[in-house]
Amino acid sequence: DERMGEVGMAFVVARENASISENELIRWCRDKMANYKVPRYVEVVDSLPMNPIGKVQKFILRQRASLLLEGRTKL
């Protein structure tokens, strides 16, 4: 982000047989959270990348976020 340096992006795993849109989730966050905590981008995924002991591999999510945002800025 030009003004803030970095902004939040959420990777969300929906419950089984549930669906949610990115806009719905951001709207919910705006109602429930402080403005600076609301993610600017949301990506709904089937699962999060985990290492063998069950921890989320955040570096993979950061790489994925960079690629996704790179594609959005080119549009």
Side-chain angles (χ1 to χ4, degrees):
D1 183 65
E2 291 179 18
R3 186 173 66 90
M4 299 179 74
E6 290 185 347
V7 293
M9 179 171 187
F11 288 91
V12 179
V13 179
R15 290 183 179 167
E16 192 173 329
N17 300 321
S19 65
I20 188 165
S21 74
E22 290 89 0
N23 291 332
E24 287 175 325
L25 187 59
I26 290 173
R27 193 169 31 253
W28 182 89
C29 289
R30 284 192 180 129
D31 290 343
K32 307 286 183 189
M33 302 167 74
N35 189 46
Y36 73 94
K37 293 182 179 181
V38 175
R40 190 170 298 171
Y41 306 101
V42 174
E43 182 74 17
V44 179
V45 296
D46 294 329
S47 64
L48 297 173
M50 302 284 202
N51 69 13
I53 61 171
K55 290 187 176 184
V56 176
Q57 293 181 312
K58 294 177 190 174
F59 71 95
I60 292 176
L61 294 176
R62 283 188 207 102
Q63 291 171 347
R64 187 169 177 178
S66 292
L67 292 173
L68 289 169
L69 295 177
E70 216 174 81
R72 288 183 185 188
T73 57
K74 291 181 181 179
L75 296 177

